[in-house]
């Protein structure tokens, strides 16, 4: 249990909050004193984990502008304010190059992962303005910083998230609203379960990560709380990469290993 209570009296709206990173981060916010309003497409029992005194749940499809607007409205109605928007909901596409990618699927991925941030922010920012302050944090990805084989729609959506964050940070800086993103590398969540089903896939994946492991989602969640908190009061328009060293590498092989330690 955290003793800092950085979010006492604060209200946090979290998307994709019944699974993986969203659920773990919701728990960290509650431990730090916040009331959280969790939304997700899937209705899973998150309230028994968070405590119904500290949290509310509503089903919401973030690819729908109307759903996003009414969920933000319900949050403000229920808790009387909105201090932090954490847009984290996303889906992974089936692996396909652009020729084979279904058009409708491409649109759905962009709509959920990228447009969701736009729909939610346009609903949340007017409330933050009336409060004179607010923080928006988006979950982007290392997949928004470089390309992955077979993930064209996901790459495009996450890269769009990184730059939408920068753009909103500029537009709302004078209103006291900060906008930042986290870029996780490989995290151990239901989204990546398939990578752990087969040993050769898991081994190949871990071999590319300098720390040779995936992240516990709470290792990302703690950074989300930092960016959302007053400790980050001069940080806006940034993406914080949290990936066990993944993006620190060039494409070079490890010559030290190849030359037996004689690089
Ligand atoms: N797991 C990883 O390795 C990894 C790496 C980098 C970034 N990310 C990102 O982290 C975030 C959290 O993913 P996770 O790994 O916890 O996966 P997850 O699948 O456990 O959680 C994603 C949640 O988003 C919800 N969701 C999907 N579409 C939605 C919609 N249209 N409306 C509302 N909710 C919707 C799902 O129901 C689910 O609860 C995502 O943005 C993902 O892209 C994950």
């Amino acid at each position: 249990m955290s003793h800092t209570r950085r979010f006492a009296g604060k209200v946090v709206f979290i998307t994709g909050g019944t699974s993986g990173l969203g659920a773990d981060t919701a728990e960290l916010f509650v431990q730090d004193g916040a009331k959280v309003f969790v939304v997700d497409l899937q209705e899973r029992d998150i309230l028994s984990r968070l405590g119904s005194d500290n949290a509310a749940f509503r089903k919401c499809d973030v690819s729908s502008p109307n759903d996003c607007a009414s969920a933000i409205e319900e949050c403000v109605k229920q808790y009387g304010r909105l201090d932090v928007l954490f847009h984290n909901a996303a889906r992974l596409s089936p692996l396909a190059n652009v020729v084979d990618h279904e058009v409708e699927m491409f649109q759905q991925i962009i709509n959920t992962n990228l447009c969701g941030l736009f729909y939610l922010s346009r609903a949340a920012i007017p409330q933050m303005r009336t409060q004179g302050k607010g923080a928006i944090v988006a979950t982007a990805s290392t997949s928004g910083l470089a390309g992955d084989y077979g993930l064209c729609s996901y790459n495009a959506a996450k890269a769009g998230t990184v730059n939408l964050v920068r753009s909103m940070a500029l537009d709302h800086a004078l209103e006291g609203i900060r906008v930042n993103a986290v870029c996780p590398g490989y995290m151990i969540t239901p989204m990546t379960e398939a990578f752990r089903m087969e040993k050769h896939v898991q081994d190949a994946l871990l071999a590319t990560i300098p720390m040779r492991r995936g992240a516990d989602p709470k290792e990302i969640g703690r950074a989300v709380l930092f960016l959302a908190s007053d400790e980050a009061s001069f940080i806006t328009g940034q993406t914080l990469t949290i990936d066990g060293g993944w993006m620190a590498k060039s494409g070079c092989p490890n010559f030290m290993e190849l030359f037996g330690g004689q690089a």
Side-chain angles (χ1 to χ4, degrees), residues 15-23 39-44 59-64 67 86-92 108 111-113 138-143 154 158 182-193 195-196 215 217 220 246:
T15 72
T18 67
S19 175
L21 175 60
V39 306
D40 203 297
L41 197 55
Q42 303 294 327
E43 191 162 356
R44 303 182 188 94
K59 212 169 160 177
C60 166
D61 179 354
V62 300
S63 69
S64 153
D67 243 16
F86 176 38
H87 176 49
N88 163 77
R91 50 182 299 188
L92 211 51
Q108 270 181 35
N111 225 355
T112 301
N113 303 8
T139 304
S141 173
T142 48
S143 299
Y154 189 79
K158 292 299 188 180
V182 287
C183 286
Y186 167 49
M187 272 192 298
I188 299 168
T189 69
M191 183 178 275
T192 53
E193 210 173 325
F195 302 162
R196 292 181 291 281
I220 317 301
W246 226 359

Side-chain angles (χ1 to χ4, degrees), residues 137-185:
V137 182
T139 304
S141 173
T142 48
S143 299
L145 303 174
D148 301 302
Y149 293 98
L151 283 184
C152 52
S153 56
Y154 189 79
N155 282 150
K158 292 299 188 180
T161 300
V162 166
N163 227 21
L164 178 56
V165 158
R166 293 188 183 118
S167 173
M168 291 200 298
L170 302 183
D171 288 341
H172 303 287
L174 289 178
E175 296 169 347
I177 300 168
R178 296 181 301 102
V179 190
N180 292 290
V182 287
C183 286

Side-chain angles (χ1 to χ4, degrees), residues 25-70:
T25 308
E27 194 177 338
L28 291 173
F29 271 118
V30 166
Q31 287 171 356
D32 227 328
K35 298 278 185 235
V36 299
F37 193 92
V38 170
V39 306
D40 203 297
L41 197 55
Q42 303 294 327
E43 191 162 356
R44 303 182 188 94
D45 182 21
I46 186 72
L47 294 188
S48 61
R49 182 170 166 191
L50 301 179
S52 44
D53 289 350
N54 305 316
F57 171 79
R58 178 198 150 119
K59 212 169 160 177
C60 166
D61 179 354
V62 300
S63 69
S64 153
N66 289 341
D67 243 16
C68 288
S70 61

Side-chain angles (χ1 to χ4, degrees), residues 55-113:
F57 171 79
R58 178 198 150 119
K59 212 169 160 177
C60 166
D61 179 354
V62 300
S63 69
S64 153
N66 289 341
D67 243 16
C68 288
S70 61
I72 295 279
E73 194 183 315
E74 192 179 320
C75 169
V76 174
K77 206 163 157 195
Q78 172 149 355
Y79 288 124
R81 56 187 297 120
L82 174 55
D83 301 283
V84 176
L85 164 63
F86 176 38
H87 176 49
N88 163 77
R91 50 182 299 188
L92 211 51
S93 66
L95 295 172
N97 62 39
V98 288
V99 180
D100 300 328
H101 205 309
E102 295 285 345
V103 170
E104 209 175 87
M105 175 62 75
F106 196 98
Q107 290 168 339
Q108 270 181 35
I109 300 287
I110 299 288
N111 225 355
T112 301
N113 303 8

